[in-house]
């Protein structure tokens, strides 16, 4: 599989696709998870993404499940040094904050960040993670406290790189500026909700933040910052008639973009999912998809997108401007 560098030149070498492990151990059983992970590595995949709260919203789950499955898989395959492992802190349920998630998310206080990495390392069976994310923004903790705590983990060798997810671009900008002023390790990765379709202005996704034009411009001007995207295939809504588009994408221009997407896919003999992945991977700035799959067949479809080329003419057709609402 094609390689790239996470965090720009001199960053972490990773595969062009990142495999999301969110459902492993809950809605995807351990046997199937192992099959997906094995096939991903066989295909040259190296980059795997999880969190210390996946998937706490599934009935009976605690949030330990995904990391535990990955830890057991790494132990049996003995390939820790061959994978780039990312996990997150900040969105795990904290009982003392109440019973309703995500309102009871643990937050990003320094003590929580440190306890979070200890728990993740234990479940993953490793002495470090390659990328550690601040999972969701925490308005209740001073930004300097969080940024300092993450930087300390890099200094100590617990994390090789740090980043953030579900942070608005203004908060990302302030965090990186603060790190530069204090001589701390900056966030070099941001992971947001993003796909080919664009949500209507002001759309709400709860704690999830989606990619905006401001963020794309900010990333494009900073070669040491990488943009990753989750929910890129909208849980199958591009290809499965039984999966409705999330209502946040109900806006003028959506039907036209879907028509163009399907026309381009048919012309080049690809699936709409593959076109979406290629469109992300080869855009300006490039966006690395975090692919979430529940079967080896779905993984195979995604893997084929890495070598799919969209020429300038096709990209111009796909990049039609959405009308103002």
């Amino acid at each position: 599989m094609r390689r790239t560098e996470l965090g720009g030149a001199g960053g972490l070498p990773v595969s062009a696709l990142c495999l999301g492990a969110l459902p492993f151990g809950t809605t995807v059983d351990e046997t199937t998870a192992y099959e997906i992970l094995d096939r991903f590595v066989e295909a040259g995949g190296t980059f795997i993404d999880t969190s210390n709260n996946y998937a706490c919203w599934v009935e009976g789950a605690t949030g330990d499940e995904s990391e535990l499955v990955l830890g057991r898989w790494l132990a049996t395959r003995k390939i820790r040094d061959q994978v780039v492992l990312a996990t997150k802190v900040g969105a795990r349920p904290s009982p003392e904050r109440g019973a309703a998630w995500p309102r009871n998310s643990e937050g990003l206080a320094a003590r929580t960040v440190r306890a979070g990495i200890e728990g993740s390392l234990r479940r993953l069976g490793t002495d470090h993670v390659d990328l550690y994310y601040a999972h969701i923004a925490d308005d209740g903790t001073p930004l300097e406290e969080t940024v300092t705590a993450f930087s300390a983990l890099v200094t100590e060798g617990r994390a090789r790189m740090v980043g953030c997810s579900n942070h608005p671009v203004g908060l990302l900008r302030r965090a990186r500026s603060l790190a530069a002023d204090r001589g701390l390790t900056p966030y070099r990765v941001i992971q947001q909700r993003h796909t080919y379709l664009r949500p209507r202005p002001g759309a709400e996704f709860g704690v999830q933040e989606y990619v905006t034009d401001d963020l794309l411009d900010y990333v494009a001007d900073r070669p040491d910052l990488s943009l990753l995207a989750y929910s890129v295939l909208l849980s199958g809504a591009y290809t499965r008639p039984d999966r409705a588009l999330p209502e946040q994408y109900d806006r003028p221009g959506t039907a036209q973009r879907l028509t163009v997407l399907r026309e381009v896919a048919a012309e080049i003999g690809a699936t709409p999912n593959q076109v979406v992945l290629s469109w992300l991977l080869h855009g300006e700035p490039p966006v690395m998809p975090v692919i979430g799959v529940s079967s080896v067949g779905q993984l195979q479809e995604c893997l084929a997108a890495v070598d799919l080329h969209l020429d300038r003419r096709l990209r111009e057709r796909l990049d039609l401007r959405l009308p103002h609402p």
Side-chain angles (χ1 to χ4, degrees):
M1 188 186 301
R2 184 170 58 84
R3 295 284 193 274
T4 187
E5 284 189 302
L6 198 65
L12 296 176
V14 295
S15 54
L17 290 179
C18 177
L19 178 63
L22 181 152
F24 295 172
T26 51
T27 57
V28 172
D29 64 75
E30 190 155 335
T31 298
T32 304
Y34 279 32
E35 292 172 353
I36 292 169
L37 288 160
D38 287 344
R39 178 65 192 113
F40 182 66
V41 171
E42 288 169 3
T46 64
F47 192 13
I48 302 171
D49 178 271
T50 186
S51 175
N52 74 342
N53 76 321
Y54 289 165
C56 66
W57 52 89
V58 175
E59 185 176 358
T62 65
D64 289 353
E65 288 79 10
S66 177
E67 289 185 331
L68 286 172
V69 167
L70 281 177
R72 289 191 288 268
W73 174 76
L74 287 167
T76 59
R77 300 315 191 250
K78 303 187 186 307
I79 57 169
R80 173 65 186 93
D81 61 342
Q82 298 176 38
V83 301
V84 177
L85 196 57
T87 193
K88 311 177 188 74
V89 65
R92 186 178 176 89
S94 179
E96 60 268 24
R97 294 189 172 204
W101 184 87
R103 288 197 299 274
N104 67 351
S105 293
E106 61 188 347
L108 295 170
R111 64 181 181 279
T112 305
V113 172
R114 185 160 293 279
I117 193 71
E118 295 296 340
S120 289
L121 294 179
R122 183 175 62 254
R123 288 185 289 273
L124 291 165
T126 185
D127 62 357
H128 75 280
V129 295
D130 300 290
L131 172 61
Y132 200 45
Y133 285 102
H135 198 166
I136 58 176
D138 176 13
D139 295 334
T141 299
L143 184 60
E144 183 172 6
E145 178 179 341
T146 301
V147 172
T148 300
F150 272 80
S151 180
L153 296 180
V154 176
T155 301
E156 296 167 9
R158 302 294 184 91
R160 297 173 65 192
M161 185 177 289
V162 292
C164 63
S165 181
N166 300 307
H167 280 48
V169 63
L171 185 58
L172 170 65
R173 184 183 291 112
R174 288 196 291 120
R176 283 172 53 89
S177 177
L178 190 153
D181 290 345
R182 305 289 194 279
L184 302 172
T185 301
Y187 295 149
R188 293 179 64 184
V189 182
I190 182 163
Q191 183 182 143
Q192 308 283 77
R193 184 184 185 99
H194 189 45
T195 184
Y196 172 63
L197 294 180
R198 302 298 294 274
R200 62 176 177 269
E204 292 288 339
F205 292 92
V207 296
Q208 298 179 357
E209 291 282 341
Y210 59 86
V211 169
T212 62
D213 289 337
D214 285 346
L215 178 59
L216 290 171
D217 291 342
Y218 183 78
V219 172
D221 290 339
R222 286 155 183 83
D224 69 329
L225 182 62
S226 294
L227 174 58
L228 273 68
Y230 65 86
S231 294
V232 292
L233 301 180
L234 297 178
S235 300
Y238 285 116
T239 57
R240 290 178 53 175
D242 62 319
R243 296 291 178 91
L245 283 173
E247 62 86 17
Q248 294 93 336
Y249 296 92
D250 183 7
R251 61 168 295 173
T254 290
Q256 185 181 3
R257 280 176 86 85
L258 284 173
T259 296
V260 172
L261 174 64
R262 290 162 182 159
E263 289 175 350
V264 168
E267 287 177 21
I268 63 177
T271 68
N273 286 340
Q274 290 168 341
V275 174
V276 169
L277 293 172
S278 179
W279 179 82
L280 290 167
L281 283 165
H282 303 291
E284 288 295 336
V287 180
M288 178 183 292
V290 180
I291 54 171
V293 300
S294 57
S295 70
V296 172
Q298 291 175 0
L299 175 64
Q300 288 292 121
E301 179 186 11
C302 294
L303 292 173
V306 175
D307 296 320
L308 180 64
H309 175 65
L310 300 172
D311 63 28
R312 182 176 58 82
R313 178 184 60 86
L314 292 176
R315 291 202 67 91
E316 288 175 352
R317 285 174 60 190
L318 290 163
D319 289 340
L320 55 93
R321 297 180 65 87
L322 287 176
H324 293 291

